[in-house]
Amino acid sequence: MSDKSTILKPERKTRTERPRLHKVLLVNDDFTPREFVVAVLKAEFRMSDDEAFQVMLAAHKLGLCVVAVFPRDVAETKAGRATDAAKAHGFPLRFETEPEE
Ligand code: TYC
């Protein structure tokens, strides 16, 4: 009689991978007023005045700045809401998302 356990393949290692987080990026432009960028960062990303100002300034100087890191759906929702708020005021301000390495 055959012993079934001897013909079974060894179990695969099942490693549960954590879902990748996504960065929200603030993109510089030449038109959106600095104060408006700061106001959006405070409202949508719950930043203090000082934090929001530093992030705005970094994007202004470097072209881009990471605002925060979230699970994908949260990052996309926040970036979308912030970009829509700017659009509603006639500004081209953009927030983008990308997966973290
Ligand atoms: N560059 C803009 C200005 O000089 C301000 C600004 C900063 C706009 C950061 C977008 O992501 C931005 N009015």
Side-chain angles (χ1 to χ4, degrees), residues 65-83:
C65 183
V66 177
V67 176
V69 175
F70 299 106
R72 183 179 178 174
D73 56 339
V74 178
E76 286 176 353
T77 301
K78 284 184 175 287
R81 281 170 50 103
T83 301

Side-chain angles (χ1 to χ4, degrees), residues 26-34 37 56 59-60 93:
L26 170 63
V27 184
N28 186 39
D29 68 71
D30 292 337
F31 303 101
T32 309
R34 290 175 173 216
V37 181
M56 178 283 295
H60 176 75
L93 181 65

Side-chain angles (χ1 to χ4, degrees), residues 3-28:
D3 175 0
K4 270 193 184 159
S5 66
T6 61
I7 57 168
L8 287 177
K9 286 184 188 162
E11 259 179 50
R12 284 238 181 101
K13 267 190 202 161
T14 48
R15 222 183 297 142
T16 317
E17 297 201 356
R18 245 181 257 161
R20 278 165 94 188
L21 294 173
H22 281 57
K23 298 183 272 192
V24 175
L25 304 169
L26 170 63
V27 184
N28 186 39

Side-chain angles (χ1 to χ4, degrees), residues 29-100:
D29 68 71
D30 292 337
F31 303 101
T32 309
R34 290 175 173 216
E35 305 73 43
F36 185 83
V37 181
V38 169
V40 170
L41 288 169
K42 287 170 68 177
E44 190 57 48
F45 299 95
R46 298 170 170 271
M47 288 186 174
S48 69
D49 239 322
D50 194 51
E51 280 175 312
F53 187 81
Q54 294 306 327
V55 169
M56 178 283 295
L57 203 59
H60 176 75
K61 287 182 179 169
L62 305 171
L64 266 187
C65 183
V66 177
V67 176
V69 175
F70 299 106
R72 183 179 178 174
D73 56 339
V74 178
E76 286 176 353
T77 301
K78 284 184 175 287
R81 281 170 50 103
T83 301
D84 288 350
K87 203 172 175 187
H89 285 79
F91 297 128
L93 181 65
R94 281 190 301 120
F95 289 80
E96 295 181 349
T97 63
E98 71 173 36
E100 230 190 10

